[in-house]
Amino acid sequence: MGAPRGSIADRIDVARDRVFVGRQAELRLLRDALAGGPDAPSVLYVHGPGGIGKSALMRQYAKEAVAVGRTVVHVDGRMVPAAPQEFEKAAETAVRTPRALLLIDTFEYCQSLETWLREEFLPGLPADVLVVVAGRHAPDARWSADPGWADVLRVIALGDLSADEAETFLDRRGVDPARRGPLLAFASGHPLALVLAAHASAGHDLPASQRWEPSPEVVAPLLRSILGELPGPRHRLALEVCAQAHLTTEALLRAVVGDDAPELFAWMRDQPFVDRCSEGVFPHDVVREALATDLRWRDPERFDQLYRRLHRHLLERIGSASPGRLLQDVGSLQFLYRDAGHMAQSHAWYTPGLVEDHPYDPSDEADVLALAERGEGPDAAGPVRYWLRNRPQDFRVQRLRGTSAAAAFSAWLRPDPFQGREDDPVAAAAWEHVSAHGPLAPGQHMVLGRFHVYPRHYQRPSPVMDLMLWRMLGELLRDSGLAWSFIVLRDDGFWDAHMTFCDMAPLDRPVVVGGHPYRIFAHDWREVAPRDWLAEKQRTLLTGTDGDCGPDVTDRPAAPAPPPPVMTRPEFAAAVRSALRDLRRPRALEANPLSRSRLVTDHGMTLREVLSNAVAGLVTGRGGDKAYQVATLAFLEGAPTQEAAARRLDMPYSTYRRHLTTATSRIEEMLWRHERTGLPLLAP
């Protein structure tokens, strides 16, 4: 006899098993329920937006149940009429079979049965039957309001795959590691988005930057799966507003759609692909990206009209915002510029609520001085102490959610004429520049963005740095009588492109404080006030022409290709890896061909400084903290062996190796991108 013949279904199951990743917590919960016990739930309710992987999880649930001898009964909401009698008929095998697992998938198609299911059908099932309900919508609040269901029901909100899981997902689908970064940035761990993006991009060269524009062949099926059937065109418009805005409130929606905003907002907040926070609602990242891309492709004129209305409304709100609302309104305005110039690379666009911004209080002094020493060195405490004594009202402290100690501080100083000139070399340079360009007229003043200190991610994109940047813009837009603004940043080249985009010109010479060089960026507001400047910036971004900065990078014609690099890509990669290994050997670094590349010549830094900045830039990428920790220990600090390094970081050796490989590849990618294009050194 020959070997047993398998079926096509067997091959399909094997392929599905091969690409299934993550969901370990959800699988453990099912296993506990299958094992029984006095505290085991009888009903699991899984919910999440379309394409998030509910059906894939249901298939794994079925396999787990079969493996322990349970009979699995599958009811598909798409195939069962939404009537109690028809549903009972479809599920009758589970009622008759001891210890059955009843899987109710795509429950959103028969959501009208939810009350009947909760009050009549499920309570009537034998106690040894386990039920799993999976649908797009969270269960009705009456489940949790009924104390009888407290020990019986477990609700599972199915979310994105983690960064590592998404990477593994693409790996198992055969996507080359060099092509994964842009796909991961677009899909945000959403399984269906990952599948569609990987399929559509197969055989194409992906951009070196993190941003990748999905094509209509990706966006259309993704939106159909996630959004489902919308009630009408006004609901589509509400979602398009939500996709453009950082956070959407009923008031913001009313400014665009009119009097039916309350009804549309109430509908929108209940959608499974829309999240809520204390400040408003916001869509899932991949939904936001897909909606914006689809509207820009279908109706670019309406896209621009929506952009202009939101911009005008937010600018008006900033002018009258209370102190507690200012940062939220400025962040929403800045978010409209997220694709322009270097805004995307310089902002983290964090989930609201991670960081709190507070006025400085004298009780914060010890924390602020300690942060200054950690972030800028012991010699920096002198200027901080001076300004705390003379302009305490100009300081802000930032606290991470759930903590009481200050994690960072910033200062937007409005000094009296020539104040600080004798006590702070940065202020002295700023006042010297003001004097060289004519004295201030009566009623005019200058401001100085003096400190931006967050030691954990010093002056790099982070939730804290977002707030600091937003406050500076908000203060500028609300200021009257402003003649000059100055912003001081560590002189490592990271912020040069962003400051140029914002028309902030660097002073001729850096200022050294505490052994570190700082660059002062200046803007003369005597001819054009900040609000008029921003209106012009918005206009030029929409038209694609900018007298000061050139066309917006998203619209401008492709720049002439840079001259070919001296090294091929493989040679460059080998040089990067060699340089990383030799980072603590100056002579070997000096002999590395990278020491004569534009990486070094463009920044005016040593190769070691360039590589150290590249390591620091890892924190802005996916899984950035782990990649940064591993790269810092491997390349900057050193360990006798990789096994010892893994032990120091308290992680398995295989995990350490994976993070090290990822970190090295990302460093190589960002350096290669700069070598070819001159773009800032940012983590891919």
Side-chain angles (χ1 to χ4, degrees), residues 298-315:
R298 284 190 298 107
D299 194 342
E301 183 177 344
R302 190 154 73 92
F303 181 91
D304 286 350
Q305 290 173 347
L306 177 58
Y307 178 99
R308 287 189 176 94
R309 293 180 73 175
L310 284 170
H311 193 281
R312 183 168 59 250
H313 172 71
L314 291 168
L315 194 56

Side-chain angles (χ1 to χ4, degrees), residues 275-557:
D275 292 321
R276 284 174 272 179
C277 67
S278 59
E279 293 90 356
V281 301
F282 55 97
H284 186 289
D285 287 347
V286 75
V287 177
R288 185 194 294 281
E289 183 77 13
L291 282 167
T293 300
D294 181 61
L295 179 59
R296 190 186 293 116
W297 174 73
R298 284 190 298 107
D299 194 342
E301 183 177 344
R302 190 154 73 92
F303 181 91
D304 286 350
Q305 290 173 347
L306 177 58
Y307 178 99
R308 287 189 176 94
R309 293 180 73 175
L310 284 170
H311 193 281
R312 183 168 59 250
H313 172 71
L314 291 168
L315 194 56
E316 291 171 357
R317 279 205 332 201
I318 288 170
S320 58
S322 65
R325 290 277 311 179
L326 177 62
L327 291 187
Q328 179 183 332
D329 291 341
V330 175
S332 295
L333 181 70
Q334 287 269 66
F335 192 71
L336 296 178
Y337 289 83
R338 64 192 180 278
D339 297 334
H342 299 277
M343 296 293 284
Q345 295 99 326
S346 59
H347 281 71
W349 304 120
Y350 70 101
T351 300
L354 296 179
V355 183
E356 299 172 354
D357 180 88
H358 299 276
Y360 169 79
D361 185 271
S363 62
D364 297 317
E365 181 178 6
D367 285 345
V368 167
L369 292 174
L371 289 167
E373 289 199 16
R374 283 176 53 202
E376 300 190 333
D379 293 341
V384 175
R385 190 176 286 108
Y386 168 82
W387 289 114
L388 284 175
R389 200 164 52 241
N390 290 276
R391 301 290 306 179
Q393 69 273 27
D394 295 341
F395 278 76
R396 309 289 298 190
V397 296
Q398 291 79 36
R399 296 184 174 90
L400 303 183
R401 182 173 56 192
T403 63
S404 57
F409 74 94
S410 57
W412 184 249
L413 303 172
R414 184 173 170 172
D416 295 329
F418 302 107
Q419 187 177 21
R421 187 168 54 179
E422 305 298 329
D423 300 272
D424 182 0
V426 168
W431 284 121
E432 180 183 349
H433 186 80
V434 170
S435 298
H437 291 78
L440 298 180
Q444 290 184 336
H445 61 274
M446 75 92 150
V447 292
L448 178 60
R450 177 63 181 91
F451 302 108
H452 318 92
V453 180
Y454 179 34
R456 184 178 177 186
H457 299 306
Y458 183 78
Q459 293 187 5
R460 288 296 185 266
S462 70
V464 170
M465 196 66 188
D466 276 1
L467 294 189
M468 293 176 179
L469 293 172
W470 296 356
R471 180 160 294 281
M472 286 190 285
L473 178 60
E475 297 291 353
L476 282 174
L477 293 175
R478 290 152 65 99
D479 206 336
S480 59
L482 181 61
W484 287 93
S485 65
F486 298 90
I487 297 175
V488 57
L489 295 161
R490 184 71 61 84
D491 188 25
D492 58 9
F494 184 90
W495 291 98
D496 289 3
H498 177 84
M499 290 293 113
T500 298
F501 174 77
C502 296
D503 303 328
M504 301 288 291
L507 302 194
D508 292 337
R509 297 186 307 278
V511 176
V512 177
V513 181
H516 298 294
Y518 292 85
R519 182 65 68 177
I520 303 175
F521 297 88
H523 190 110
D524 184 348
W525 299 104
R526 291 175 294 184
E527 295 295 328
V528 179
R531 290 175 69 92
D532 296 330
W533 164 81
L534 188 62
E536 179 65 15
K537 180 66 70 176
Q538 181 223 5
R539 186 190 66 78
T540 55
L541 286 173
L542 287 173
T543 59
T545 59
D546 189 338
D548 290 331
C549 301
D552 171 30
V553 296
T554 60
D555 297 321
R556 65 173 59 141

Side-chain angles (χ1 to χ4, degrees), residues 179-214:
R179 299 176 54 249
R180 292 176 195 165
L183 304 185
L184 291 168
F186 161 71
S188 301
H190 189 282
L192 178 60
L194 286 166
V195 171
L196 293 174
H199 174 73
S201 65
H204 300 287
D205 290 332
L206 295 182
S209 67
Q210 277 289 286
R211 185 158 183 79
W212 171 65
E213 282 289 336

